[in-house]
Amino acid sequence: MKVILDVDTGTDDAVAIMLAALHPDLELIAVTTVNGNVPLENTTDNTLRTLDFIGRSDIPVYPGLARPLVRHDFPGKKDYGGKSDMHGLELPIPEATSKAQDTGAVEYLVETFRGATEPIALVPTGPLSNIGAAVAVAPDIVEKVHEVVIMGGGYKHGNVTPTGEFNIWADPEAADMTLTAGFDPLTLVPLDATHQALVTREDVARFEGLGTPAGTAAARFIGRRIDAYTAGHRVETADAAPVHDALCIAYLVDREVIETRHLHVRVETQGELTVGQTVIDTRTHAAEAPNAHVAFGADARRFVELLAQTFARTC
């Protein structure tokens, strides 16, 4: 399957990139970047670093939007490097030697899907600014996208506000545009699922022991995530952390790694206390037709095994 990843590369996006770039059943044809976990300059640099480190600098990287579609100021993270910061500005791998493309992400997405002659899946794992902009300028691409898998949202809780998950909250207008654009199928992988697919320190040691670039990088990235969750983010299992974005890639190659329900989903863009909330209608008498396959469950051991098998590979 051909795949385009749209990322705001911090630690979990980097793991997703490596999984997509190295899995034998996937062809990662490009990565587009967006402002999010870190500023656009850093998301792009971190993406290039990751691809270079695993020997896949042949995959082109297209920088995207540096701010949300509607909001004047990006309401994201301001302080980096603390104990609870799971990303940092720069990933702990060597500086990139490759360069980003001159073409912007939105232009690339529009041109690529308009010209597509075979199926291409689109996997956004950061704020949905690039996707919302592409749909706004070229709504005809919706029917050309083979499949969309989004990491974002939460039903039971958020992570940046009580109800808002970061990727959706960071650009709620773009998120709502994407969910209502008509992509079919569209799968939403929220915190409810990713927090069930926890990776432990024992798993990190296993990745390190693989002796491959991807294994080494995964151990560093996920180890930092576990440190951050231990310092204050809290998950149900001690010495473990979710690797949200990689679960979306895992789903492309193993449909049993998550469990979904077909439901209607919108994003709150006006609420004073609830902006960025994914409003997931689980009622049996929902008035609106389903527009997303929402993941509520995940198989952690199946997920980790897929990571280990893939990261044992070298280019």
Side-chain angles (χ1 to χ4, degrees):
M1 179 185 293
K2 293 182 182 294
V3 180
I4 296 173
L5 256 173
D6 185 76
V7 297
D8 62 333
T9 303
T11 48
D12 54 338
D13 302 80
V15 178
I17 291 168
M18 295 192 299
L19 185 58
L22 294 174
H23 197 281
D25 292 344
L26 300 177
E27 180 186 349
L28 182 59
I29 63 172
V31 183
T32 55
T33 62
V34 69
N35 188 50
N37 285 318
V38 291
L40 179 67
E41 175 184 355
N42 300 101
T43 67
T44 303
D45 174 63
N46 284 337
T47 300
L48 294 167
R49 287 179 184 229
T50 301
L51 291 169
D52 286 356
F53 192 71
I54 62 170
R56 291 305 313 270
S57 56
D58 56 299
I59 297 171
V61 176
Y62 298 87
L65 297 190
R67 48 156 288 181
L69 290 187
V70 174
R71 292 158 198 265
H72 294 294
D73 295 318
F74 176 65
K77 305 167 184 177
K78 304 298 181 184
D79 298 320
Y80 302 94
K83 290 183 178 180
S84 61
D85 175 19
M86 65 193 70
H87 300 293
L89 281 172
E90 298 175 346
L91 292 176
I93 52 177
E95 292 183 7
T97 56
S98 60
K99 303 294 183 183
Q101 303 296 305
D102 292 331
T103 302
V106 176
E107 181 181 354
Y108 169 77
L109 291 170
V110 170
E111 290 181 351
T112 299
F113 283 111
R114 276 183 168 168
T117 58
E118 53 188 324
I120 304 173
L122 175 62
V123 183
T125 62
L128 289 152
S129 310
N130 290 337
I131 315 305
V135 168
V137 300
D140 57 295
I141 69 170
V142 169
E143 62 185 27
K144 300 297 291 290
V145 179
H146 178 66
E147 177 176 10
V148 176
V149 183
I150 296 170
M151 190 282 123
Y155 180 65
K156 291 183 177 179
H157 58 81
N159 61 3
V160 68
T161 73
T163 61
E165 180 276 330
F166 178 79
N167 287 344
I168 304 298
W169 171 84
D171 196 339
E173 287 80 12
D176 196 52
M177 290 171 62
T178 302
L179 285 165
T180 59
F183 290 112
D184 185 25
L186 182 149
T187 301
L188 184 69
V189 183
L191 299 176
D192 306 78
T194 63
H195 275 246
Q196 294 181 43
L198 299 179
V199 182
T200 68
R201 286 205 194 271
E202 288 184 358
D203 300 324
V204 166
R206 180 182 177 188
F207 299 153
E208 183 69 46
L210 294 173
T212 61
T216 298
R220 293 179 189 176
F221 303 157
I222 301 171
R224 178 165 186 157
R225 296 184 64 78
I226 294 173
D227 290 342
Y229 274 88
T230 301
H233 289 273
R234 299 181 183 275
V235 286
E236 291 185 1
T237 303
D239 262 358
V243 188
H244 310 288
D245 302 339
L247 190 59
C248 295
I249 299 300
Y251 172 67
L252 290 180
V253 297
D254 181 0
R255 301 293 173 160
E256 302 300 318
V257 76
I258 60 174
E259 300 173 1
T260 66
R261 294 172 60 188
H262 201 198
L263 301 167
H264 185 76
V265 184
R266 291 290 303 271
V267 175
E268 176 59 65
T269 60
Q270 300 296 325
E272 180 180 354
L273 299 177
T274 58
V275 66
Q277 178 181 6
T278 42
V279 182
I280 302 171
D281 195 345
T282 61
R283 297 175 298 172
T284 56
H285 59 289
E288 301 291 338
N291 61 344
H293 299 271
V294 183
F296 287 98
D299 187 330
R301 292 302 92 194
R302 196 168 184 139
F303 175 52
V304 169
E305 191 62 32
L306 178 61
L307 293 178
Q309 290 178 3
T310 305
F311 295 159
R313 299 172 59 89
T314 56
C315 294

